[in-house]
Amino acid sequence: MDEIKGVIQDIVFRNEQNGYSVVDIECEDDLVTVVGYFAFLNLGEMIKAEGVWIQHKDYGMQFKMESYAVVTPASLIGIEKYLGSGFIPGVGPSIAKKLVEKFGMDTLDIIQYNPEKLLEIEGIGKKKADKMNEAFQEQKELRDIMIFLEQYGVSPTYAVKIYKAYGINTIKEIKENPYRLADDVFGIGFKMADKIAMSIGISTSSEYRLASGAKYMINYYHAQGHTYVPRDILIEKTQEILDVDKDDIDNTLMALFLEGKISIEKLEDCQAVYSTTFYKAESGVCRRLMQLARDVPAKIDAQVEGRDGIILAPNQKKAVEATLENGIVIITGGPGTGKTTTINTIIKILEEKGLSVLLAAPTGRAAKRMQEATGKEAKTIHRLLEYGAGDDEADMFFQKNEDSPLEVDVLIIDEVSMVDILLMNNLLKAIPEGTRVVLVGDSDQLPSVGPGNVLRDMIESGMIPVVKLNEIFRQAEESLIVVNAHKINNGEHPILSDKNKDFFFVKAESGNNIVSTIIDLCSHRLPKFTGYDFYEGIQVLSPMRKGECGVQNLNIKLQEKLNPPADDKKEKVYRDMVFRVGDKVMQVKNNYKLKWQSIQDFEKEGEGVFNGDIGLIQDIDGEEQYMEVIFDNDKLVKYEYSNLDELEHAYALTVHKSQGSEFPVVIMPATYGAPMLLTRNLLYTALTRAKKLVAIVGHEKYIKQMVDNNYITKRYSGLKQRLAKLKDMYE
């Protein structure tokens, strides 16, 4: 094994996901190219590496690194380059030069042990000096932890997340129980934790491993939309990943049950295993819905028809009357069936009777649409329930609940098909006795991204009064989007030949032709035809993530065309993505703590960016290591580089991710895909996201296949059974 020692002059290539790097190191008078997996790298850093020399067929002689250690820079040039590399936020080449000119070889000791002396440098105040000291100390701790984790195959990106979770105790915590990583660190699942545990030498039959494997499998099913897992299926699937006896898994489930970490309940057809959170949520939703259904407020007498010259269809009238007579009612229907007119009538009648009315929807986009349709303020459910921090900044919760309920007479919630079991539970807990509740949604759309089948379960249970609006109004009949949506929902093939309407089919045979046609539609034809640009009005939706016509490839191709690299556009390479100023991006997880600042009203600020929110990258600061994104043309959010896994490109979205949103123009490929993706309700959901125009690009046979495929993914949910059982008890 050979050994070299030198200063990092250039980082030619680095994969942030696994740490593989190509670096140029100055060793005495020679420049050596070193390749290998580095946990931590900074320009100007001196390293001592062990490895072997190899001859690369294209790049010549290289040093293949097997292990390395970081050595403190031994020259002024090395220190200056080290500090100027940007590893300390706020310290770039200019500040680094000033520091070295002032303190020479003592520079690093000054930053670490005597940061008050930094105040002697122009441009460095007390706050910045403290920040530099803190960052320097953190980097030293982080480097040790990254090198420790590197031996277990943990990438630098995840190592930073682990360090943020456990701080200086990281190594101690992992050695004691590596399986806690799966619970505590976003993005690290059981499989990675298990790999670390096996490397450390933890037994395959360890109680930590058995419990973590069982919880991992329960959470896996939650992530697929289920609120519980049948016990026999859970044991079978857990055995597949752990390779232990089924009896050991069964005993582990019983131990977790006795510890209160899971719940097990006999339903009609199986023993259902829930995580405690979802068991409490499902039971709570059932109990509160029963109370609302039985707690009928005094009937309101009012003139329903003939108001403001509006003539209601029979089922619209029925929906209004049901609201006046019941404590809770569900109003469902597809596009063009008059849901907005019905809701506006309900609002007007109830406000004339002196009742207070609140409106809300699951997402910001859905709330904005509701507000535009009614002329009344509509909030997201999270904002309505005042989701935020308590005394402890890390403790986030809904501040409106059973102890501090909403003050309202009537609550109307739109897009209820998007509401999962957890959010519904928190919403219902905050509704006081005597409040009328109107739930509005389209039960034929895809179910919520989160666990549960809430709207469909409530409708099918028979517990709650349901009114379905099914008459398409004359104005809506003129829209081929509406006509085709209802045709598809009824299992009929859509009209594809009418070129004078708002629904277009563009034939393209191969996947490559489909992609190139979509790019042309986005960049030239549709902006010219509709007047909408891609960033504001046109959205590509795809049934799938992978494949030539999947979201991942479409995002790459659309970015190349719509926002290509340029000298004046800053970039940040993160994993396999290139984030660039001007990119359209989407938040992919709820982050209730992420702060935003209004760019229209600088005194207005808030917290919370949510799964599905779409924004534009405004700036990338390589020195301070953050990226700025503007959401809703107003909310400016700063993302530290370590949080970039919460963002994805949004030139193309999956249909699932588009739920609750509405776009003027929607483009979708029609091509080969898995039958479980190419379904009738997915096609229906995609069409109903469009307000002005739909363009489907591909082959007609795949559209027909989707219409004919009425497959609905089964979700394990006990809500329908619970509600039906309670209904039978009280009848």
Side-chain angles (χ1 to χ4, degrees):
M1 192 83 68
D2 295 313
E3 180 180 288
I4 61 171
K5 183 178 179 181
V7 176
I8 298 174
Q9 295 294 323
D10 187 22
I11 301 173
V12 180
F13 169 79
R14 180 163 176 79
N15 183 326
E16 292 290 350
Q17 193 163 7
N18 61 19
Y20 182 79
S21 306
V22 179
V23 298
D24 287 339
I25 295 178
E26 187 176 357
C27 302
E28 297 178 349
D29 294 328
D30 292 329
L31 196 65
V32 175
T33 298
V34 180
V35 298
Y37 294 89
F38 289 84
F40 202 87
L41 279 177
N42 282 305
L43 292 176
E45 217 165 32
M46 178 173 283
I47 66 167
K48 182 167 62 177
E50 291 186 339
V52 295
W53 293 96
I54 60 172
Q55 181 72 33
H56 191 281
K57 63 175 184 175
D58 295 322
Y59 303 113
M61 191 65 71
Q62 296 180 338
F63 189 80
K64 185 179 179 183
M65 182 273 297
E66 299 293 339
S67 65
Y68 76 103
V70 178
V71 182
T72 303
S75 70
L76 293 179
I77 293 175
I79 294 172
E80 183 179 333
K81 199 160 193 175
Y82 176 56
L83 290 174
S85 66
F87 82 96
I88 298 179
V91 177
S94 60
I95 293 290
K97 185 176 180 64
K98 291 179 182 179
L99 288 167
V100 171
E101 286 176 349
K102 177 71 174 177
F103 302 117
M105 294 300 295
D106 295 328
T107 300
L108 299 181
D109 286 340
I110 295 290
I111 295 173
Q112 185 174 2
Y113 302 113
N114 302 105
E116 65 279 357
K117 289 190 175 182
L118 297 174
L119 301 178
E120 299 173 19
I121 302 293
E122 184 182 352
I124 298 180
K126 177 72 165 59
K127 187 175 180 180
K128 187 162 188 174
D130 290 342
K131 187 177 178 182
M132 288 169 61
N133 171 256
E134 182 181 329
F136 191 84
Q137 301 280 15
E138 186 177 276
Q139 291 293 326
K140 289 191 69 177
E141 294 169 2
L142 181 57
R143 180 189 290 119
D144 293 340
I145 288 164
M146 287 177 112
I147 292 172
F148 166 77
L149 290 171
E150 182 189 31
Q151 64 187 308
Y152 303 116
V154 179
S155 72
T157 299
Y158 284 123
V160 172
K161 286 181 171 293
I162 294 169
Y163 173 73
K164 285 189 172 183
Y166 306 126
I168 60 174
N169 296 318
T170 296
I171 295 174
K172 174 178 173 291
E173 296 282 1
I174 291 174
K175 283 184 174 179
E176 183 179 314
N177 176 16
Y179 291 103
R180 65 177 301 175
L181 290 169
D183 296 328
D184 297 343
V185 182
F186 174 72
I188 294 188
F190 167 79
K191 292 181 180 179
M192 186 182 291
D194 195 41
K195 183 179 177 182
I196 296 171
M198 294 300 98
S199 300
I200 289 174
I202 289 179
S203 168
T204 56
S205 59
S206 158
E207 62 180 43
Y208 288 138
R209 184 170 189 261
L210 291 169
S212 183
K215 287 190 292 183
Y216 162 76
M217 192 52 64
I218 294 170
N219 288 329
Y220 171 82
Y221 273 85
H222 289 330
Q224 304 306 307
H226 308 285
T227 60
Y228 71 84
V229 196
R231 187 171 182 164
D232 56 347
I233 292 177
L234 176 60
I235 291 172
E236 179 186 339
K237 295 298 183 182
T238 306
Q239 185 189 35
E240 288 179 9
I241 63 168
L242 297 183
D243 193 23
V244 296
D245 289 339
K246 287 186 177 181
D247 288 344
D248 289 340
I249 299 168
D250 206 18
N251 292 335
T252 297
L253 292 178
M254 187 52 62
L256 290 170
F257 172 71
L258 294 173
E259 292 169 10
K261 293 180 179 177
I262 64 172
S263 295
I264 304 176
E265 180 171 314
K266 180 73 173 70
L267 295 178
E268 288 178 4
D269 52 355
C270 71
Q271 276 198 317
V273 182
Y274 294 81
S275 63
T276 304
T277 299
F278 284 95
Y279 177 78
K280 289 180 177 178
E282 194 173 274
S283 302
V285 167
C286 184
R287 184 174 59 254
R288 286 294 295 131
L289 286 174
M290 183 65 192
Q291 290 171 349
L292 288 166
R294 295 183 64 209
D295 180 24
V296 181
K299 179 180 177 181
I300 295 174
D301 292 319
Q303 178 189 350
V304 174
E305 289 195 289
R307 306 176 65 87
D308 301 325
I310 295 174
I311 299 175
L312 300 178
N315 278 0
Q316 286 182 304
K317 181 182 176 184
K318 187 177 176 182
V320 176
E321 290 172 343
T323 302
L324 303 181
E325 295 171 2
N326 295 280
I328 182 169
V329 65
I330 295 173
I331 301 173
T332 183
T337 57
K339 290 196 295 291
T340 298
T341 299
T342 305
I343 296 307
N344 283 334
T345 302
I346 290 170
I347 293 170
K348 187 157 189 177
I349 289 174
L350 295 175
E351 287 187 335
E352 285 176 357
K353 294 294 182 179
L355 300 180
S356 58
V357 180
L358 287 179
L359 310 181
T363 66
R365 284 175 172 266
K368 185 177 180 181
R369 284 173 49 206
M370 194 181 190
Q371 185 165 312
E372 290 169 350
T374 62
K376 285 182 59 66
E377 182 186 17
K379 300 179 179 180
T380 63
I381 296 174
H382 283 85
R383 187 173 159 218
L384 178 76
L385 301 181
E386 297 178 14
Y387 191 89
D391 295 334
D392 180 358
E393 281 295 317
D395 183 20
M396 303 288 288
F397 61 94
F398 291 101
Q399 297 179 65
K400 288 296 180 183
N401 49 44
E402 57 266 55
D403 298 321
S404 177
L406 296 164
E407 296 180 5
V408 62
D409 299 315
V410 183
L411 180 63
I412 302 176
I413 306 295
D414 198 10
E415 294 284 3
V416 179
S417 64
M418 294 183 64
V419 179
D420 62 30
I421 196 71
L422 294 179
L423 186 56
M424 181 59 77
N425 185 44
N426 282 294
L427 174 65
L428 294 177
K429 283 195 294 186
I431 298 175
E433 186 177 332
T435 300
R436 276 183 168 79
V437 179
V438 182
L439 303 176
V440 185
D442 187 345
S443 59
D444 294 313
Q445 287 187 21
L446 293 169
S448 59
V449 175
N453 206 9
V454 178
L455 180 59
R456 192 179 291 269
D457 280 353
M458 289 191 298
I459 291 171
E460 294 181 355
S461 72
M463 164 72 77
I464 300 164
V466 178
V467 181
K468 183 163 187 176
L469 306 179
N470 50 18
E471 180 179 335
I472 304 176
F473 287 87
R474 183 173 299 172
Q475 184 177 359
E477 285 179 344
E478 297 175 3
S479 166
L480 204 53
I481 294 174
V482 172
V483 171
N484 277 340
H486 285 276
K487 277 182 170 290
I488 289 165
N489 201 32
N490 293 328
E492 302 171 27
H493 295 158
I495 300 168
L496 301 179
S497 58
D498 194 333
K499 296 286 186 181
N500 300 315
K501 295 278 188 172
D502 52 4
F503 183 101
F504 293 88
F505 173 68
V506 183
K507 190 171 183 178
E509 295 290 339
S510 68
N512 184 56
N513 286 341
I514 293 172
V515 172
S516 61
T517 301
I518 288 174
I519 291 171
D520 186 43
L521 287 170
C522 291
S523 58
H524 299 298
R525 292 162 63 182
L526 287 180
K528 185 176 180 180
F529 178 70
T530 66
Y532 292 106
D533 68 27
F534 183 81
Y535 291 96
E536 290 296 326
I538 301 171
Q539 182 62 56
V540 177
L541 304 180
S542 176
M544 66 281 290
R545 289 191 63 82
K546 297 181 179 178
E548 195 166 14
C549 296
V551 163
Q552 292 175 349
N553 186 55
L554 283 169
N555 271 318
I556 292 170
K557 299 298 184 183
L558 287 165
Q559 183 195 37
E560 287 175 359
K561 178 64 178 180
L562 298 168
N563 191 30
D567 292 340
D568 61 342
K569 287 183 184 177
K570 300 176 186 175
E571 294 183 353
K572 167 62 181 172
V573 178
Y574 184 78
R575 297 185 180 176
D576 55 350
M577 293 181 286
V578 177
F579 288 118
R580 185 175 297 133
V581 170
D583 274 346
K584 190 175 182 180
V585 292
M586 178 180 61
Q587 176 79 8
V588 296
K589 64 167 285 195
N590 289 333
N591 188 329
Y592 305 107
K593 300 177 187 177
L594 204 54
K595 291 180 169 54
W596 55 263
Q597 174 79 50
S598 170
I599 60 174
Q600 298 178 22
D601 179 359
F602 292 116
E603 294 184 1
K604 185 179 178 182
E605 57 184 26
E607 291 181 336
V609 183
F610 304 106
N611 189 357
D613 285 353
I614 296 174
L616 289 178
I617 298 177
Q618 176 178 265
D619 190 24
I620 298 173
D621 192 317
E623 193 165 279
E624 294 284 354
Q625 298 184 40
Y626 67 79
M627 195 160 77
E628 290 184 339
V629 180
I630 295 179
F631 294 95
D632 298 328
N633 295 317
D634 180 40
K635 297 176 182 177
L636 178 67
V637 179
K638 284 188 178 181
Y639 287 84
E640 294 181 10
Y641 281 177
S642 59
N643 288 332
L644 292 185
D645 60 348
E646 296 185 13
L647 290 173
E648 290 181 358
H649 289 113
Y651 295 96
L653 307 177
T654 62
V655 177
H656 280 85
K657 282 289 187 183
S658 72
Q659 285 178 267
S661 299
E662 190 176 73
F663 310 98
V665 180
V666 164
I667 306 171
M668 192 182 86
T671 186
Y672 172 80
M676 63 183 298
L677 291 176
L678 301 186
T679 64
R680 182 186 300 174
N681 68 341
L682 184 140
L683 179 59
Y684 173 79
T685 301
L687 259 64
T688 55
R689 300 308 90 208
K691 195 173 181 180
K692 299 290 185 183
L693 185 144
V694 168
I696 297 183
V697 182
H699 203 292
E700 185 176 352
K701 72 176 181 180
Y702 294 113
I703 300 175
K704 291 180 177 178
Q705 281 183 16
M706 293 180 82
V707 175
D708 295 339
N709 181 11
N710 197 25
Y711 172 79
I712 297 175
T713 305
K714 176 177 172 56
R715 287 195 167 189
Y716 296 121
S717 165
L719 182 61
K720 176 183 171 181
Q721 292 183 49
R722 293 175 191 277
L723 288 172
K725 187 176 179 181
L726 279 178
K727 179 176 180 287
D728 292 341
M729 286 174 57
Y730 286 98
E731 282 187 346

